[in-house]
Amino acid sequence: MGKLTHKKENEIIDIDNHLLNRSGTMEEVVARTRSAFLSGKTKNVAFRRRQLEQLYKLFEEHENEIVGALNSDLRRHKQESTLVEIEIMRNDILNILYNLDEWVKPEKPEKTVVNLLDDVLIYKEPYGVVLVMGAWNYPLQLLLVPVAAAISAGNCVIIKPSEVSVNCAKFIQEYLPKYLDSECYPVVCGGVNETTELLKQKFDYVFFTGSTKVGKIVYEAATKHLTPVTLELGGKSPCYIDSSADMEITAKRVLWGKLINVGQTCIAPDYILCSKSVEKKFIDECTKILREWYGENPKDSEDLCRIVNNNNFQRILGLMKSGNIAVGGKYDATSRFIEPTILVDVKADDPIMQEEIFGPVLPILNVDNVYDAINFINSREPPLVIYLFSTETEVQNLFVQRTKSGSICINDTIMQYVVDSLPFGGVGNSGIGHYHGKYGFDTFTHKRSCLGKSFNKLGEFLASARYPPYSDKKTWFLSTLMKKRKPFPNFYFSHLCAVGIGIGIAFLINYYMKQDGN
């Protein structure tokens, strides 16, 4: 297994000493959590519901502490923290609570003639002990939304917050055990060494949000135990703009999506593809909008976050050397401030196009038309999301049909993430699996198939042709019985026909068996 590494920094330590796990080794923590799962406690739907209600209560009673922790780690404005963290977590839990009783019901799939008299069911069962690892850029909702999904499915969850967002990790460590059952949902904090040790343990499911580089390490660790995973990663999400787009609205929506959390968002538009003429109009609008939003000196604005640590700050400054600065470009190392910046004359092989930017820098690459844009996107790894700004139906259809990505959003940014009826997740290097709403419940649910047969005489009579001695006539009867038939549009009519067919076949079997002397 690969080893997790990163440089230590003076201002961001791995985790405070009192946050280190003191309840035993990682192996002991996992063993205790597994014992809690085997007790059957979490399989009780009423228990799950109480835990989710408690989690919702945590968000209600400690909203100010949450906002404060996010401000301390990211210098994020209260409005932004409320909308992108607290409200998403609240609504996610409400959605689960409203629908949980329906989600947990066994499914009753379509039956064929062969199974007409049988019980055919799919039970919704928890995997067992799952590990959920959060990310530093949205340190609460990217951790606790999948935790809520895992709870709803009946799992025990080992909760690992990111050590980079130190104050949010402290909040989770201090408050979560006061609201959730600590035997079933222990919090494990720590840095690289603790995470590396944690990944050596055997889990029944692993859910990770973070970089593709670390995601590969998590995946490698999971494969040693044949553990299924969901990897929510990232990548360079492109944004194509054509001349049919309303440029003022386009600029506002692109900039808003790019500058939430000062660009430290896995689904932020990473780069722009457009023609030279569209580029000029876009930059003109962006210049006006940025001045309107953040004033003449954006550093003084309370509405812009800061880069999380010095490593990322220096990395982004290095990427800003690509192309030429058309807008912005100022920075302050003491406060880790980087002004919203737009780069032009960027080439495909420039450093800024080789990695996810994760900052307030937006490069523009010029293409002649939609086909060039699609070819450029398809020449790279599939992104987490593709953004498209165009009113042309043909252009929209081309992007939907000829590109590959985790999701696609037309004429807006970010907003696809908050639709809980849409699955969220990547494909290829941008991730494995998906969640949100019912998809989150399904992610942490093992669908266990069940066939129930009775000792009904008619059923046994129908099935008796499978027994030796074999014959061509028995083979013909069984093949006829097993033949897949197109379902009738009317549910009840199809069942009535199935009964009639079954009875008819029973009489035929009886007749031919007598002819065979069987």
Side-chain angles (χ1 to χ4, degrees), residues 214-225:
V214 179
K216 290 179 179 179
I217 296 173
V218 173
Y219 199 12
E220 182 183 355
T223 57
K224 292 187 177 181
H225 300 290

Side-chain angles (χ1 to χ4, degrees), residues 233-431:
L233 308 178
K236 298 185 73 63
S237 295
C239 176
Y240 175 67
I241 306 171
D242 75 7
S243 58
S244 71
D246 183 308
M247 205 53 61
E248 180 183 0
I249 295 175
T250 296
K252 286 181 178 179
R253 292 177 180 178
V254 170
L255 287 175
W256 177 76
K258 182 65 175 179
L259 297 178
I260 288 176
N261 210 33
V262 78
Q264 298 171 124
T265 305
C266 62
I267 54 173
D270 191 90
Y271 62 95
I272 301 291
L273 295 170
C274 67
S275 67
K276 266 292 183 185
S277 60
V278 169
E279 174 187 282
K280 183 181 185 309
K281 295 176 183 177
F282 179 75
I283 289 175
D284 288 345
E285 291 295 340
C286 287
T287 302
K288 292 186 289 186
I289 292 165
L290 289 172
R291 189 181 299 114
E292 177 187 331
W293 287 0
Y294 304 117
E296 295 295 335
N297 188 1
K299 182 183 173 183
D300 295 335
S301 172
E302 296 181 355
D303 300 329
L304 275 172
C305 297
R306 294 297 184 262
I307 305 303
V308 69
N309 56 31
N310 191 55
N311 279 348
N312 279 303
F313 178 80
Q314 295 298 332
R315 178 185 62 80
I316 296 168
L317 289 188
L319 297 180
M320 287 170 61
K321 296 176 182 178
S322 301
N324 296 303
I325 295 174
V327 178
K330 296 177 183 177
Y331 60 89
D332 175 42
T334 58
S335 62
R336 298 193 300 276
F337 164 79
I338 296 178
E339 184 179 14
T341 299
I342 299 176
L343 303 177
V344 296
D345 304 321
V346 175
K347 303 295 187 294
D349 57 356
D350 284 344
I352 199 166
M353 294 303 297
Q354 308 312 309
E355 62 179 89
E356 188 175 3
I357 298 169
F358 237 60
V361 183
L362 187 61
I364 299 179
L365 285 81
N366 295 129
V367 292
D368 291 330
N369 51 53
V370 62
Y371 298 100
D372 288 346
I374 288 173
N375 288 336
F376 184 86
I377 293 168
N378 288 340
S379 70
R380 306 167 79 84
E381 292 289 346
L384 186 54
V385 57
I386 291 174
Y387 294 111
L388 165 65
F389 285 82
S390 173
T391 61
E392 299 291 338
T393 302
E394 182 181 356
V395 171
Q396 295 175 4
N397 289 338
L398 281 169
F399 263 82
V400 170
Q401 295 167 8
R402 297 193 185 181
T403 61
K404 183 179 181 180
S405 61
S407 60
I408 186 166
C409 183
I410 299 173
N411 294 330
D412 208 341
T413 63
I414 307 296
M415 295 306 296
Q416 78 283 354
Y417 182 84
V418 300
V419 183
D420 57 28
S421 57
L422 289 176
F424 174 77
V427 60
N429 265 31
S430 60

Side-chain angles (χ1 to χ4, degrees), residues 1-193:
M1 184 182 77
K3 182 173 176 60
L4 298 167
T5 58
H6 68 242
K7 294 180 181 179
K8 299 278 182 98
E9 300 179 346
N10 293 330
E11 73 273 27
I12 301 288
I13 59 174
D14 280 343
I15 205 76
D16 284 354
N17 289 334
H18 76 278
L19 281 180
L20 293 173
N21 179 67
R22 297 188 177 187
S23 55
T25 65
M26 295 298 177
E27 185 176 1
E28 291 169 342
V29 172
V30 174
R32 284 198 298 272
T33 309
R34 191 167 300 283
S35 294
F37 176 74
L38 293 175
S39 72
K41 185 189 301 186
T42 60
K43 288 191 174 183
N44 183 289
V45 177
F47 174 82
R48 304 180 206 178
R49 185 176 287 279
R50 285 195 300 272
Q51 297 302 305
L52 292 166
E53 289 169 348
Q54 284 293 105
L55 192 55
Y56 187 88
K57 188 177 179 181
L58 167 64
F59 305 147
E60 291 286 283
E61 294 183 348
H62 297 284
E63 181 174 341
N64 290 335
E65 288 90 339
I66 291 172
V67 170
L70 290 166
N71 185 267
S72 296
D73 286 333
L74 297 160
R75 216 207 77 156
R76 191 190 286 164
H77 191 279
K78 179 179 179 180
Q79 176 175 324
E80 203 164 283
S81 291
T82 300
L83 296 179
V84 303
E85 301 259 10
I86 297 170
E87 289 303 327
I88 287 178
M89 293 187 294
R90 281 175 176 156
N91 289 329
D92 178 72
I93 290 180
L94 289 175
N95 184 45
I96 295 172
L97 291 173
Y98 295 154
N99 294 285
L100 185 58
D101 290 340
E102 189 63 32
W103 292 351
V104 299
K105 289 180 180 177
E107 293 179 22
K108 295 181 179 180
E110 181 185 354
K111 293 197 287 189
T112 63
V113 173
V114 176
N115 303 115
L116 188 65
L117 302 177
D118 304 332
D119 291 326
V120 178
L121 297 168
I122 300 173
Y123 288 105
K124 317 287 185 64
E125 296 193 345
Y127 276 101
V129 176
V130 308
L131 170 64
V132 176
M133 304 173 68
W136 58 261
N137 56 327
Y138 292 88
L140 296 177
Q141 67 110 329
L142 290 182
L143 177 71
L144 297 180
V145 168
V147 164
I151 291 173
S152 73
N155 298 279
C156 282
V157 190
I158 292 180
I159 302 166
K160 172 60 178 71
S162 170
E163 73 278 8
V164 177
S165 295
V166 177
N167 294 283
C168 288
K170 288 180 180 179
F171 174 84
I172 292 166
Q173 176 75 9
E174 179 179 353
Y175 287 102
L176 210 60
K178 297 177 181 178
Y179 288 81
L180 296 184
D181 186 308
S182 58
E183 289 184 350
C184 299
Y185 315 109
V187 177
V188 174
C189 285
V192 172
N193 293 334

Side-chain angles (χ1 to χ4, degrees), residues 467-496:
Y467 302 138
Y470 300 141
S471 70
D472 289 343
K473 289 183 178 179
K474 284 185 176 182
T475 302
W476 179 82
F477 281 126
L478 291 173
S479 296
T480 301
L481 201 64
M482 294 170 63
K483 182 178 178 62
K484 188 67 178 178
R485 294 168 178 83
K486 185 177 180 180
F488 290 98
N490 187 294
F491 177 82
Y492 297 104
F493 181 64
S494 66
H495 277 64
L496 184 62

